[in-house]
Every structure is written in C-alpha cells, then in structure tokens.
C-alpha cells in the first residue's frame, strides 16, 4: 500500500465501506473476524481491496459487477468513489469457506 500512487483517503474510505458491508450483510468466521486484504497489482499498479466473510452468498444481488449501483448499500458509495466491485465464492479444495468482495481502485490517471 505504501507504494500505491492513488488517493490514500479514498482507498481508506473504500476499505471501511466494504468491511462495514461485510459486517452488516455477511457472517463472521468462527473466530468472529472479517478479513480485509489489500494488494497493489504489479502490472496495472491498481489497488485491490478484498473483504472476506463466511457467508458464501451476496444477498439481494445476483451478480455484482463493475456497474453495481445499489442505492441501499455502502457499495453504492464505493462505485461513486471510483471503485469497481466484484465478488466470488471463496473455496479451498472445493470446500466453500465464504465469499470475497473485491474492489479495484485505479491509480490516478488510469480511471476509465
């Protein structure tokens, strides 16, 4: 994160919003945790922010994509801040562990 050239305040707000969303709509793991991960991608230099929880479903949404804009969710704000939302079921060797909500935050100057 220290080497990411984007807006740190925006990234921090987005991280907060997806964790809030996981707490409100997801299920914590058995240790009462929601997992937050961040990674700067080598090729694009975009920031990827991930929130993992134990619920494998994305309620009230059949498929989240880059155009996601539900007004009832903090994820609407994520898209307004320039993040691209997606999600997938989290598995380990075929065992469903929950889900990952991912937000891609472009570096400055790479916004499409």
């Amino acid at each position: 994160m220290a080497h990411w050239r984007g807006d740190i305040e925006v990234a921090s707000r987005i991280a907060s919003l997806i964790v809030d969303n996981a707490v409100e709509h997801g299920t914590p793991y058995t240790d009462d945790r929601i997992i937050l991960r961040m990674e700067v991608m080598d090729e694009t230099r975009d920031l990827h922010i991930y929130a993992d929880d134990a619920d494998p479903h994305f309620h009230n949404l059949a498929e989240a994509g880059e155009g996601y804009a539900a007004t009832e969710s903090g994820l609407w704000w994520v898209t307004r801040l320039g993040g691209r939302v997606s999600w997938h079921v989290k598995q380990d060797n075929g065992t469903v562990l929950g889900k990952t909500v991912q937000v891609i935050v472009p570096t400055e100057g790479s916004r499409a």
Side-chain angles (χ1 to χ4, degrees):
M1 179 92 187
H3 300 287
W4 185 59
R5 294 181 295 256
D7 188 327
I8 299 298
E9 288 183 35
V10 167
S12 175
R13 182 69 179 136
I14 288 173
S16 175
L17 287 164
I18 67 168
V19 168
D20 285 349
N21 189 73
V23 169
E24 185 173 337
H25 301 290
T27 302
Y29 288 101
T30 56
D31 59 0
D32 289 330
R33 295 182 186 205
I34 301 291
I35 300 168
L36 175 68
R37 298 175 286 125
M38 296 184 199
E39 171 180 28
V40 177
M41 304 311 287
D42 287 336
E43 291 181 12
T44 64
R45 305 306 301 161
D46 291 342
L47 177 65
H48 289 217
I49 304 172
Y50 309 93
D52 300 338
D53 72 84
D55 184 350
H57 304 98
F58 199 116
H59 300 283
N60 301 320
L61 186 64
E63 187 71 30
E66 293 180 9
Y68 179 65
T71 58
E72 296 297 320
S73 172
L75 295 180
W76 179 83
W77 281 107
V78 169
T79 63
R80 296 288 293 172
L81 291 168
R84 297 188 308 261
V85 179
S86 63
W87 76 283
H88 65 271
V89 173
K90 187 173 182 70
Q91 296 185 16
D92 183 26
N93 291 323
T95 301
V96 174
L97 303 175
K99 73 173 165 299
T100 298
V101 174
Q102 173 184 312
V103 178
I104 298 172
V105 186
T107 58
E108 293 178 4
S110 68
R111 292 179 193 259

